[in-house]
Amino acid sequence: MGEISSLAEAVAELVHDGDSVALEGFTHLIPTAAGQEIIRQGRRDLTLIRMTPDIVYDQLIGAGCARKLIFSWAGNPGVGSLHRFRDAVQRGWPRPLEIEEHSHAGMANRYVAGASGLPFAVLRGYVGTDLVAHTPTIAPITCPFTGEELTAVPALNPDVGIVHAQRADRHGNVQVWGITGVHKEVVLAAKRSLVTVEEIVDELEPRPGAMVLPGWALTRVAHVPGGAHPSYAMDYSDRDNDYYQQWDEISRDRETFTRWLDEHVLTTTTGDPAYGGAP
Amino acid sequence: MSDQPTAEDFTLDEMMTVAAARALRDGARCFVGIGRPSTAANLARRTHSPDLVLIYESGTIGAKPGRLPLSIGDGVLAETADAVVSVPEIFNYWLQPGRIDVGFLGAAQIDRYANINTTVIGADYAEPKVRLPGAGGAPEIAASCGEVIVVVPQSRRTFVDRVDFVTSVGFGTGPADRQRLGLRGRGPTLVITDLGILRPDPDSCELTLTQLHPGVTLDQVTAATGWPLKVTADPTTTTAPTPHELAVLRKLLNP
């Protein structure tokens, strides 16, 4: 019920081996520190879910946490490929990665169905693409009213949904603004949820366009300033574009990546703020 | 025009971006991808199309960024937008019903019917030669926008006889396919490359070279195309970038 705890406690309690876990954030508010805590705690066999797997998923995949990835666009935005993701798909390192591939519209609707408590969602999509043949979770459906052929996609209800937000109050109510992606959908679709926040305040001041996730709709809130780095938190931090560039070099070969992981994630207790961890 | 730059004054990459910008009419509602499409759309807003409506899949509608955004979710888009909506809303309420005039896409591979691949290179999906990022918003952009403009540098690696994977449908296997599949928009109307411009043949829907950029020869284009390229009877030459277009573009890229 929006209980406030440390990041380490929250991850230990909420994320188990074999779980399906969605860390969301559409360029903005990506919960990188939480992802690195999952790596530090050594979780295995996770089904990772995310519309736009980027650096934090490259790290989780490269660290061997993931068995499967459900996604719609996997890349280092504005830079190029995710090398750890590609290595896992193309060469099975550090372990083979099963994939379930959708479009953004399909993934967004799967979360909507999950948040709505419905078994599936309907969209006008995918028709004519080769995704239909390779993704079993895309199926044709006929509209019972008009007879139109449409596409159905099953609900996503992750075991754990994790997002980052600007702030929470002491009761665990969360306020988030700017590009909010699928924040609301993933929190409401997930069986258990964690929101890491930049700031905890006595009272949430109203802000135009902001969305509030009530504490009673969440499981845990953790105070993790800078927890979205290298992505950004509007009005708190800027996107670290240099870091996205640097990641290309760090992640390109297995050895450099493994050394980086040891230095910046595994051997620290709280993560290195300069490399996406919580201070 | 005596002040028009000669072929030496601009690169073909710049020509491609300028040609793409010119294709965007003022007031159009444009679904913009990052990279060249975004550069071209922002150039259009600063030149002939000040009222172009920029829509990014992160949920920003009517963004008016003062600099080039570095990603589709760049803070400058949210700060300058008329509205910021959720991702389900941008796809379900704005794209799907056909409220967007132009979709701007790139491609890793494109074929003669303008089908686009951004998923895998290689015939085996399970064991690809190269794993690409995937679909993102593209399949539904290609299906639902009024028309689609593809911006992609031309080479045999990219312009292939058949794409290895159809991520986004252009014209499928020919003229009847879009209607048969129930796709709403007109599909790709322009493919703008660094060598020229291709348009679908009105009858066969096959991409046909209709325009060459200044200084480019027909041989260069056919050599960069992986199928026997159809060429219109009398291809025109693209008007070279004006000094104003070039100046604005260069300032955008090197602020």
Side-chain angles (χ1 to χ4, degrees):
Chain A
M1 301 298 268
E3 190 187 329
I4 295 170
S5 61
S6 76
L7 177 60
E9 281 168 4
V11 167
E13 184 191 295
L14 300 183
V15 185
H16 318 125
D17 286 356
D19 276 353
S20 59
V21 185
L23 291 86
E24 283 289 356
F26 212 84
T27 307
H28 182 214
L29 298 172
I30 297 170
T32 310
Q36 295 187 344
E37 183 59 31
I38 292 172
I39 296 175
R40 249 190 314 278
Q41 294 195 15
R43 291 293 175 277
R44 286 293 176 269
D45 290 321
L46 301 178
T47 293
L48 294 177
I49 307 170
R50 179 174 165 82
M51 293 184 65
T52 53
D54 73 340
I55 288 180
V56 65
Y57 271 38
D58 216 25
Q59 295 169 359
L60 281 153
I61 291 165
C65 303
R67 179 182 63 78
K68 181 177 177 181
L69 179 69
I70 302 176
F71 74 108
S72 44
W73 191 92
N76 183 345
V79 179
S81 296
L82 289 181
H83 300 294
R84 294 300 96 224
F85 160 71
R86 272 177 63 168
D87 204 12
V89 172
Q90 293 172 215
R91 289 175 288 275
W93 191 91
R95 53 167 302 170
L97 184 70
E98 189 188 331
I99 58 172
E100 181 177 324
E101 184 163 6
H102 279 269
S103 68
H104 281 352
M107 286 291 283
N109 278 291
R110 295 187 69 184
Y111 281 129
V112 168
S116 307
L118 288 168
F120 68 91
V122 174
L123 69 154
R124 188 180 283 122
Y126 293 114
V127 181
T129 74
D130 285 337
L131 284 165
V132 179
H134 291 96
T135 304
T137 46
I138 298 172
I141 189 169
T142 307
C143 171
F145 304 105
T146 64
E148 188 184 353
E149 285 289 317
L150 297 161
T151 301
V153 287
L156 274 171
N157 291 105
D159 292 317
V160 194
I162 303 177
V163 295
H164 189 74
Q166 278 96 343
R167 59 192 181 200
D169 66 17
R170 295 184 196 288
H171 306 290
N173 300 303
V174 168
Q175 192 181 41
V176 48
W177 61 89
I179 291 170
T180 53
V182 289
H183 264 51
K184 185 188 281 182
E185 289 74 17
V186 72
V187 164
L188 297 182
K191 292 169 194 145
R192 305 182 290 279
S193 58
L194 164 64
V195 185
T196 57
V197 294
E198 290 291 324
E199 189 182 8
I200 293 186
V201 296
D202 288 328
E203 200 153 333
L204 296 174
E205 286 165 41
R207 282 189 66 98
M211 151 178 119
V212 171
L213 299 164
W216 52 262
L218 313 169
T219 317
R220 293 276 189 146
V221 172
H223 183 213
V224 190
H229 181 271
S231 82
Y232 70 105
M234 192 177 195
D235 297 325
Y236 287 83
S237 63
D238 292 327
R239 190 170 187 264
D240 186 349
N241 292 305
D242 291 344
Y243 180 94
Y244 282 86
Q245 297 278 355
Q246 285 163 24
W247 184 251
D248 193 71
E249 281 169 45
I250 295 167
S251 62
R252 202 168 271 273
D253 72 73
R254 294 171 185 176
E255 242 174 74
T256 318
F257 166 75
T258 306
R259 214 166 36 239
W260 177 90
L261 193 69
D262 280 343
E263 268 174 46
H264 296 283
V265 180
L266 294 175
T267 55
T268 62
T269 50
T270 53
D272 179 344
Y275 288 92
Chain B
M1 260 166 58
S2 58
D3 66 342
Q4 194 155 298
T6 62
E8 282 76 33
D9 295 319
F10 57 90
T11 68
L12 287 171
D13 201 76
E14 288 174 327
M15 180 74 261
M16 171 168 56
T17 307
V18 167
R22 287 175 186 160
L24 297 172
R25 65 173 172 78
D26 200 18
R29 302 175 292 255
C30 182
F31 210 104
V32 188
I34 214 66
R36 281 191 191 86
S38 177
T39 307
N42 281 284
L43 175 60
R45 264 197 70 241
R46 283 163 173 72
T47 51
H48 64 282
S49 300
D51 291 325
L52 188 67
V53 181
L54 304 188
I55 300 168
Y56 289 79
E57 66 192 15
S58 56
T60 60
I61 298 175
K64 293 163 279 291
R67 58 165 173 81
L68 272 189
L70 295 157
S71 75
I72 46 117
D74 196 312
V76 76
L77 298 175
E79 284 157 17
T80 61
D82 297 330
V84 182
V85 302
S86 73
V87 169
E89 180 173 332
I90 202 80
F91 283 102
N92 286 353
Y93 297 1
W94 299 94
L95 178 63
Q96 187 169 258
R99 292 184 216 281
I100 299 178
D101 299 312
V102 187
F104 231 173
L105 296 176
Q109 284 184 332
I110 183 167
D111 66 22
R112 72 173 83 195
Y113 290 109
N115 301 301
I116 290 173
N117 174 17
T118 55
T119 302
V120 287
I121 303 293
D124 188 351
Y125 174 77
E127 286 184 40
K129 269 189 229 152
V130 183
R131 175 64 233 193
L132 302 167
E140 283 81 16
I141 292 170
S144 299
C145 287
E147 62 180 309
V148 171
I149 298 173
V150 185
V151 190
V152 58
Q154 197 158 355
S155 75
R156 263 181 196 262
R157 212 174 53 158
T158 306
F159 282 66
V160 295
D161 190 38
R162 276 182 80 102
V163 290
D164 292 338
F165 189 101
V166 178
T167 309
S168 309
V169 181
F171 297 103
T173 58
D177 272 19
R178 284 193 72 87
Q179 204 184 359
R180 178 178 62 78
L181 295 167
L183 305 178
R184 300 266 164 135
R186 285 192 289 146
T189 49
L190 284 173
V191 176
I192 298 170
T193 83
D194 52 346
L195 302 177
I197 296 179
L198 299 85
R199 292 178 170 83
D201 179 273
D203 298 321
S204 71
C205 289
E206 184 171 337
L207 286 180
T208 304
L209 183 79
T210 58
Q211 213 168 314
L212 285 164
H213 294 330
V216 176
T217 66
L218 209 48
D219 284 350
Q220 261 177 286
V221 185
T222 51
T225 308
W227 69 85
L229 179 67
K230 290 226 165 75
V231 182
T232 48
D234 195 11
T236 56
T237 305
T238 313
T239 306
T242 66
H244 180 59
E245 285 168 328
L246 275 181
V248 175
L249 173 60
R250 287 173 185 172
K251 197 170 166 220
L252 259 181
L253 293 170
N254 302 294

